Amino acid sequence: MPELAPRLRKKVAGETRKRLLEAAEHLGRTVGPAGMSLDAVAAAAGVSKGGLLYHFPSKHALLRALVQDHVAGFRLEMDRLCPGWAEPADDRQALLGARAYVAAMRELMQQTDSPSSGVFAALTEDPHFMAPLLELRGVVRRMFSRCPPEAMLVLGTCEGVVHDRMIDPDHWDCGWAETQFRLMERLLEELVAGRARFAG
């Protein structure tokens, strides 16, 4: 029975941390980084300021964690969709990873309140927060570089869709984005089947 207390404390701490990150994400999306004070995040999460400071001793630490959490969640989703995607054994596995990437990005962009908007708010606060995103982008680009060259059109289109959502979420056109994702999926299906090669 004594072992239960530390495990329970760890679980509660993990849940509190998650609520704080969700509150920060929501505030980043709705009021921007300037309105994302520690007091506002604590209030939105229903946590005391002392509780927030236990997990995140500064706004900088909170924003850094927000970006890291976003990247870690995306990596987990990619691992679920395509195990081994980050280091494909061959070109076919790289193409399957590219398909998983499009599916994961599509799912992320279909969310009513895209988490990437809050991450974008964090990035405007400090460009150093880009490091985890740039590392992830490097892994994704290496995976796409193992695919036929035409697949880079998919990566560029995907990045364009995300960029559009992040910089102007109020005018986000879900129908347009869905069309782009369908076209990307179709091109990748053709590449997997060996049919969509452009003449050099």
Side-chain angles (χ1 to χ4, degrees):
M1 191 78 158
E3 292 179 29
L4 187 58
R7 268 193 277 155
L8 184 57
R9 272 195 304 270
K10 188 174 183 178
K11 181 180 179 191
V12 170
E15 291 169 358
T16 301
R17 183 181 190 282
K18 182 179 179 200
R19 281 200 337 261
L20 288 164
L21 288 171
E22 287 171 351
E25 158 55 37
H26 176 74
L27 288 169
R29 209 173 40 246
T30 56
V31 298
M36 197 191 309
S37 69
L38 293 181
D39 288 324
V41 172
V47 174
S48 70
K49 185 159 182 190
L52 181 146
L53 292 172
Y54 171 80
H55 292 280
F56 307 106
S58 67
K59 183 177 177 182
H60 189 85
L62 175 64
L63 293 173
R64 185 178 338 106
L66 183 63
V67 174
Q68 290 170 338
D69 189 65
H70 176 75
V71 169
F74 188 81
R75 282 180 174 267
L76 282 173
E77 179 63 8
M78 285 294 294
D79 290 342
R80 184 187 71 77
L81 292 171
C82 186
W85 70 275
E87 295 181 17
D90 55 34
D91 296 354
R92 180 164 175 74
Q93 188 179 12
L95 274 170
L96 296 176
R99 289 172 73 181
Y101 178 76
V102 170
M105 293 305 291
R106 179 187 220 167
E107 184 178 320
L108 183 65
M109 294 297 106
Q110 286 176 340
Q111 295 174 11
T112 305
D113 292 325
S114 173
S116 57
S117 300
V119 170
F120 186 63
L123 296 175
T124 63
E125 186 80 8
D126 185 341
H128 291 98
F129 293 153
M130 284 292 291
L133 286 171
L134 291 174
E135 179 187 336
L136 174 61
R137 186 178 189 220
V139 172
V140 169
R141 282 183 171 264
R142 282 191 299 279
M143 175 193 67
F144 269 90
S145 73
R146 295 283 310 271
C147 298
E150 295 83 357
M152 289 306 270
L153 293 170
V154 170
L155 178 59
T157 303
C158 222
E159 288 180 345
V161 169
V162 172
H163 181 263
D164 190 57
R165 176 76 186 262
M166 288 175 66
I167 63 167
D168 195 9
D170 294 336
H171 297 98
W172 173 248
D173 184 345
C174 294
W176 171 82
E178 183 58 27
T179 299
Q180 305 315 306
F181 282 115
R182 279 197 306 270
L183 290 170
M184 288 185 271
E185 286 175 344
R186 194 163 40 187
L187 175 57
L188 288 172
E189 286 169 12
E190 293 294 310
L191 289 171
V192 167
R195 292 191 297 260
R197 300 306 301 267
F198 300 152

